[in-house]
């Protein structure tokens, strides 16, 4: 339901399938802005998305509402400028 609802919203591109999906963004800054915006709304939605049966229809509604809010905010600000110097870094680059 999460993948279907996000795809139907038309706001984001989603790849993968229900149990493990990814949202695609046009830039690292857009991705970071989205992650921070969702986090600020109390939702951890990063890569990959792994919903489970404990998530309720209300959880889905809250997540979609937050995603819409972040996407609307992305349309009002210069995302690249807002995220300048704030991109997440990979903690374990060398394995």
């Amino acid at each position: 339901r999460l993948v279907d609802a996000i795809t139907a919203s038309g706001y984001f591109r989603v790849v993968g399938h229900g149990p493990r999906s990814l949202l695609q963004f046009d830039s690292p800054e857009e991705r970071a802005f989205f992650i921070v915006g969702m986090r600020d709304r109390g939702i951890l939605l990063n890569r990959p998305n792994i919903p489970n049966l404990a998530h309720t229809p209300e959880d889905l509604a809250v997540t979609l509402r937050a995603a819409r809010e972040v996407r609307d905010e992305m349309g009002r600000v210069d995302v690249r400028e807002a995220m300048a110097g704030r991109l997440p870094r990979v903690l374990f680059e060398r394995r």
Side-chain angles (χ1 to χ4, degrees), residues 4 17 20 28 37-38 62 73 81 85 92:
D4 292 344
H17 50 91
R20 190 164 192 263
M38 294 299 283
V62 168
E73 190 175 337
E81 183 178 310
F92 303 105

Side-chain angles (χ1 to χ4, degrees), residues 2 5-6 9 11-12 23 25 33-45 57-76:
L2 178 65
I6 290 174
S9 75
Y11 285 136
F12 302 102
L23 273 69
F25 298 94
F33 190 93
F34 179 79
I35 292 167
V36 169
M38 294 299 283
R39 182 209 59 207
D40 290 349
R41 289 162 175 81
I43 299 168
L44 178 60
L45 190 64
E58 182 179 317
D59 294 329
L60 178 61
V62 168
T63 301
L64 291 175
R65 185 170 43 252
R68 274 189 227 106
E69 289 173 4
V70 174
R71 181 61 184 160
D72 291 347
E73 190 175 337
M74 289 170 82
R76 293 189 303 267

Side-chain angles (χ1 to χ4, degrees), residues 70-90:
V70 174
R71 181 61 184 160
D72 291 347
E73 190 175 337
M74 289 170 82
R76 293 189 303 267
V77 302
D78 182 338
V79 173
R80 289 183 192 269
E81 183 178 310
M83 297 312 295
R86 298 181 58 203
L87 293 180
R89 62 186 174 88
V90 176

